Amino acid sequence: MLTFSHVICRPSRDEAEAFLHHTAVANTDTAAVDNLVNLEFAHAQSFPHDLLAQIKHLFAMGHGAFPLVGTPMTWPKAS
């Protein structure tokens, strides 16, 4: 199994959340996200609007990848 993710890591959780907002909300290229979602879900005509909004937000954050947002202390270091 393969899962892809994107990482936003900052010194504090507040800074990480602020950067996430900056990149995925305040500066989203909505036309690009709309085009991408339309291509990926071209045959899905019955998505509820709230689910479609969530999908668009995930695509704006990192092409639908699982978001890892936090501080260097959020995740244990690999041994």
Side-chain angles (χ1 to χ4, degrees), residues 1-78:
M1 182 157 107
L2 175 68
T3 300
F4 68 106
S5 63
H6 70 275
V7 176
I8 296 177
C9 185
R10 294 292 185 264
S12 73
R13 178 73 185 190
D14 287 343
E15 288 173 286
E17 292 288 340
F19 188 77
L20 174 63
H21 179 82
H22 171 76
T23 58
V25 178
N27 292 294
T28 298
D29 183 344
T30 53
V33 170
D34 287 344
N35 287 333
L36 184 58
V37 170
N38 288 338
L39 287 171
E40 294 286 330
F41 299 97
H43 301 290
Q45 302 299 321
S46 62
F47 274 114
H49 290 292
D50 58 334
L51 179 58
L52 189 57
Q54 183 180 8
I55 289 169
K56 286 182 179 184
H57 181 65
L58 288 171
F59 270 70
M61 284 193 300
H63 196 53
F66 183 79
L68 298 170
V69 181
T71 71
M73 301 306 292
T74 302
W75 304 285
K77 296 194 183 333

